[in-house]
Amino acid sequence: MGETIDTYEIIAEYYDLEFARFSDDIEVYLAFAQRTGGPILEIGCGTGRLLAPLARAGYTVHGVDRSPAMLARARERLRAEGLEHVQLFQADAVDLRPLADGFYRLAIIALNGFLHLLDRTAQQRALAELHRVMSTGGLLLLDLLHPTPAQLQALEQPLSWDGNWRLPDGSRLDRFASRSVHPSEQTITTTLFYDRTDAHSGQVTRRVVSYKLRFVHRFELELLLEQAGFAVEAIYGSYDLDPLTDESPQMFVVAQRQLSPAILAPRRA
């Protein structure tokens, strides 16, 4: 039978099966951390995949996530690695009141985290909060989908099998995904089906989660950043900092926190 519960309760339980060994982006974040120094803030820190290597490198690192389940997993990871000094905050990107003004030299939103902001108001509020908690001259790094026609077409799929994993209790987990792209709204709706097959009885339990992302285009994003008080330093097309091209699968954005948000001139009558 299908069981629908909180999205991140399910995603947290299975997230590290897919991403625990993903390390393609770690070196570039460590390189920028060496440039800026700490303290470092990660928004949408999830289960702590990036927090741990940054903390091991000696930086003061704080993580924010709105999901208690994700933060619980992050605490387990950090405790296991002896990194309990990393501070975690349960908060939403649009409201970072637990965090002090002007504190962070580097802020990171990795793996499409910015796309969880589903309208312009949320995007503007999140960037305003980041501007508030970052120090002048600090760097904001965003890793986002580059929404080319080919990329969006590839994401459109009625149903696909993403893979399977063997769980600690011996059961098998299969994941299926359905995705639909809505260009007029700039959204991607994803439904994930997690089928867990008991190792002894063969009984299958299905859990279903659904979420939406809102993709942004390059110059739309540049304007959002500039209005929020960030100067775009560069937009790369890979973690190797290759130039952004029509074929680039991602936009890796580097923006510097300016003294104050931009003030737009009023329109002429």
Side-chain angles (χ1 to χ4, degrees), residues 87-258:
Q87 293 189 45
L88 301 176
F89 300 89
Q90 184 184 344
D92 196 292
V94 302
D95 185 357
L96 300 177
R97 274 180 288 184
L99 307 184
D101 292 358
F103 186 66
Y104 299 99
R105 292 290 303 162
L106 179 66
I108 297 167
I109 306 182
L111 292 178
N112 290 321
F114 189 80
L115 306 192
H116 287 279
L117 301 165
L118 296 180
D119 56 47
R120 185 173 62 185
T121 298
Q123 293 166 344
Q124 291 172 325
R125 287 177 61 187
L127 291 174
E129 282 290 84
L130 281 164
H131 189 275
R132 178 183 66 79
V133 303
M134 291 179 65
S135 59
T136 301
L139 293 183
L140 171 61
L141 307 180
L142 304 175
D143 176 17
L144 311 104
L145 168 76
H146 185 205
T148 65
Q151 285 268 80
L152 296 176
Q153 184 177 6
L155 285 170
E156 183 80 43
Q157 51 189 6
L159 188 67
S160 66
W161 177 67
D162 288 345
N164 66 74
W165 299 267
R166 189 64 61 180
L167 301 179
D169 65 358
S171 61
R172 167 177 163 151
L173 181 74
D174 288 85
R175 193 181 76 182
F176 301 86
S178 173
R179 294 183 176 88
S180 57
V181 179
H182 309 279
S184 64
E185 299 177 356
Q186 292 183 208
T187 59
I188 304 164
T189 301
T190 298
T191 301
L192 300 177
F193 304 86
Y194 292 94
D195 288 357
R196 187 168 184 162
T197 306
D198 186 270
H200 304 291
S201 67
Q203 180 179 355
V204 178
T205 303
R206 167 166 287 182
R207 289 181 167 180
V208 183
V209 297
S210 185
Y211 62 90
K212 186 179 290 187
L213 301 176
R214 184 173 189 267
F215 58 87
V216 292
H217 296 281
R218 173 184 179 172
F219 295 109
E220 173 189 9
L221 181 61
E222 287 192 8
L223 182 59
L224 284 166
L225 287 164
E226 290 168 5
Q227 289 179 340
F230 292 90
V232 176
E233 178 179 291
I235 300 181
Y236 300 104
S238 73
Y239 298 129
D240 294 325
L241 306 185
D242 296 313
L244 182 71
T245 70
D246 290 346
E247 289 73 39
S248 299
Q250 68 189 108
M251 298 187 292
F252 190 84
V253 182
V254 183
Q256 188 176 70
R257 195 267 198 197
Q258 302 298 289

